[in-house]
Amino acid sequence: MCIRDRLQLLHRDLSPFAPPVLAAISRHLQPNGSYDDVPGATCAALLVMTWLGAPVEKIEGATSWLLAKLETQENYNAATTLETFARLPVNPVHPDVQDGIVQRILDSESAWPPGLETLRYMNTLIEIGEPTEITARLGGLLPAARGADEWLTVFGTAEAVGILARMHSNLPDGDGAEELQRIMFRGVKQLMTLIKIRDCHRGMEWR
């Protein structure tokens, strides 16, 4: 769940945030439409600009830049871009292009390391409406649940637990949901432990 979703759950009006946030984003927009030529940052900027009602030309500029880069991006950035486009009112990606990138990610063993990166790919599959591969990939989450680096920080653990909860809500009963629930609860327990540690040691680094 993103910050916008959380604010909307609290019935917060987003309009007061729009001018300063959009102004801050505009300072980083390049003539080619990107946010500092960084794919991940451009994805985030595109979503925020869409939510806050930025001028159409800025939204179109970021969209065009990401589309032009999409098929040549490495797997992680390609997955992030697919997930971003799936959250727009109209997904601009051609189905054949999306299918090709998804298959490329699924076929790449190096694309599925243990930890938060695997969770990112699974979250992308959910967002674009392809949850069927998730059950087969649950084994890749076990190393993360047992203490991979991403689970050793408050941010990493909170992000992982949030993605796990979203995955759980999209899996039917008996389709790996019970195992996923066990992994998720391990993450919640780890998160509570990390918060307690941080309360005792304020110097703990956040990533």
Side-chain angles (χ1 to χ4, degrees), residues 123-149:
N123 200 46
T124 297
L125 292 175
I126 288 175
E127 192 67 54
I128 65 176
E130 294 283 350
T132 54
E133 291 287 338
I134 292 173
T135 303
R137 306 284 178 171
L138 284 178
L141 303 183
L142 294 177
R146 290 171 182 156
D149 289 345

Side-chain angles (χ1 to χ4, degrees), residues 117-199:
E117 194 166 348
T118 293
L119 293 170
R120 168 56 58 200
Y121 292 127
M122 290 186 168
N123 200 46
T124 297
L125 292 175
I126 288 175
E127 192 67 54
I128 65 176
E130 294 283 350
T132 54
E133 291 287 338
I134 292 173
T135 303
R137 306 284 178 171
L138 284 178
L141 303 183
L142 294 177
R146 290 171 182 156
D149 289 345
E150 287 85 355
W151 289 70
L152 300 181
T153 67
V154 173
F155 170 79
T157 306
E159 177 75 3
V161 169
I163 294 174
L164 286 166
R166 191 162 179 268
M167 288 166 52
H168 184 269
S169 67
N170 282 272
L171 280 180
D173 292 340
D175 200 14
E178 187 173 328
E179 176 63 17
L180 182 57
Q181 188 176 52
R182 283 196 292 269
I183 298 171
M184 182 173 61
F185 285 158
R186 292 178 199 168
V188 172
K189 184 177 180 181
Q190 176 75 355
L191 182 60
M192 294 173 67
T193 300
L194 288 171
I195 291 173
K196 289 179 181 178
I197 292 174
R198 185 177 181 277
D199 286 342

Side-chain angles (χ1 to χ4, degrees), residues 11-194:
H11 305 291
R12 291 293 303 271
D13 177 15
L14 298 181
S15 57
F17 300 97
V21 171
L22 293 177
I25 291 174
S26 294
R27 288 194 288 270
H28 292 268
L29 292 180
Q30 304 302 305
N32 59 18
S34 74
Y35 186 107
D36 289 342
D37 294 311
V38 179
T42 305
C43 286
L46 174 57
L47 288 176
V48 173
M49 288 191 296
T50 301
W51 296 333
L52 296 182
V56 173
E57 61 270 18
K58 294 184 178 181
I59 294 173
E60 290 179 345
T63 300
S64 297
W65 187 82
L66 288 169
L67 277 173
K69 297 277 187 181
L70 180 56
E71 292 185 81
T72 58
Q73 290 285 358
E74 49 83 25
N75 287 332
Y76 190 89
N77 282 335
T80 303
T81 303
L82 285 183
E83 184 178 337
T84 299
F85 284 150
R87 299 179 73 181
L88 297 178
V90 177
N91 190 335
V93 182
H94 191 280
D96 290 345
V97 173
Q98 177 171 290
D99 291 346
I101 294 171
V102 169
Q103 195 58 53
R104 187 182 83 195
I105 292 171
L106 293 175
D107 290 343
S108 174
E109 291 301 320
S110 63
W112 294 89
L116 194 56
E117 194 166 348
T118 293
L119 293 170
R120 168 56 58 200
Y121 292 127
M122 290 186 168
N123 200 46
T124 297
L125 292 175
I126 288 175
E127 192 67 54
I128 65 176
E130 294 283 350
T132 54
E133 291 287 338
I134 292 173
T135 303
R137 306 284 178 171
L138 284 178
L141 303 183
L142 294 177
R146 290 171 182 156
D149 289 345
E150 287 85 355
W151 289 70
L152 300 181
T153 67
V154 173
F155 170 79
T157 306
E159 177 75 3
V161 169
I163 294 174
L164 286 166
R166 191 162 179 268
M167 288 166 52
H168 184 269
S169 67
N170 282 272
L171 280 180
D173 292 340
D175 200 14
E178 187 173 328
E179 176 63 17
L180 182 57
Q181 188 176 52
R182 283 196 292 269
I183 298 171
M184 182 173 61
F185 285 158
R186 292 178 199 168
V188 172
K189 184 177 180 181
Q190 176 75 355
L191 182 60
M192 294 173 67
T193 300
L194 288 171

